[in-house]
Amino acid sequence: MTDGEVGRDFCLRLERALALYAAGAETLLLLGGVTSAGSVSEAARGAGFLEAHCVPSTALRLEERSRHTLENLRHAREFLGAEMPVTIVSNRYHLARIAVMADGLGMPYRLCAAEPHWQWSWPMAGRLLLEALYVHWYLTGRHWARLVRDRASEARIS
C-alpha cells in the first residue's frame, strides 16, 4: 500500500463508517498514527477517503498518535471523555481483541463489524491465529503486571 492509499480491510471499515454516518451518526472518530516514515497517518488517510465520499470534515475527528490497538483505545478514551459508549467499527477477525482490551480499559463500547457477514478463508485462519496470540499476550501481560504489582505496566494497559 502506498502513502494515501486505503487497503481492503481499512476500506471495509470506512465503508461501514459511511453507512453509520448516513444512518445518523453525527461524528466519526478516526484512529491511527503514522505507520511508516514519511507517510500520512492512518486517520488522515481515512479522513481523505470519507471526505471524497461526501462526509464533511466537520463530522470527522482524528487521533493520529496511536501505533497499535491498545493505544487506539486508550487515546480514544481520553479523546472522547464522557462521550461514551462509543461504537467501534473494525474487521470481524479483530473484534474479540478489541473487546478484551476495551473491557480492560473500563471503556463502554458497542462493536460493529465492518464486513456484512463472516467469510472463511485460509488467510483468515492466519489472521485469527495472530489475533488469538495478541489476546493471549495482552491477558498474560495484564495478569503478570498485577501479580508482581508492576503499577507502571498495569497503568499502560488499563
Side-chain angles (χ1 to χ4, degrees), residues 15-101:
E15 287 171 351
R16 179 63 69 191
L18 278 171
L20 292 172
Y21 182 75
E26 295 177 18
T27 305
L28 301 174
L29 174 59
L30 300 164
L31 306 166
V34 175
T35 55
S36 61
S39 69
V40 298
S41 71
E42 186 172 284
R45 270 197 314 266
F49 178 94
L50 293 171
E51 289 170 350
H53 288 83
C54 300
V55 175
S57 61
T58 55
L60 303 175
R61 294 169 70 185
L62 279 60
E63 186 292 306
E64 301 179 89
R65 298 176 297 156
S66 303
R67 294 169 298 164
H68 51 74
T69 302
L70 183 58
E71 281 187 355
N72 282 339
L73 293 172
R74 285 180 54 221
H75 292 147
R77 183 180 63 178
E78 293 167 13
F79 201 79
L80 294 171
E83 296 178 47
M84 298 278 185
V86 62
T87 300
I88 301 171
V89 176
S90 194
N91 303 95
R92 288 180 185 268
Y93 63 84
H94 190 43
L95 292 176
R97 178 162 49 122
I98 289 172
V100 167
M101 290 179 170

Side-chain angles (χ1 to χ4, degrees), residues 67-75 77 88 94-109 111 130-142 146 154-158:
R67 294 169 298 164
H68 51 74
T69 302
L70 183 58
E71 281 187 355
N72 282 339
L73 293 172
R74 285 180 54 221
H75 292 147
R77 183 180 63 178
I88 301 171
H94 190 43
L95 292 176
R97 178 162 49 122
I98 289 172
V100 167
M101 290 179 170
D103 286 340
L105 293 169
M107 185 177 173
Y109 63 91
L111 296 176
L130 186 58
E131 288 294 317
L133 291 171
Y134 285 143
V135 168
H136 181 323
W137 167 79
Y138 171 81
L139 292 173
T140 301
R142 187 174 75 183
R146 288 179 181 161
E154 196 172 352
R156 281 193 305 273
I157 60 175
S158 53

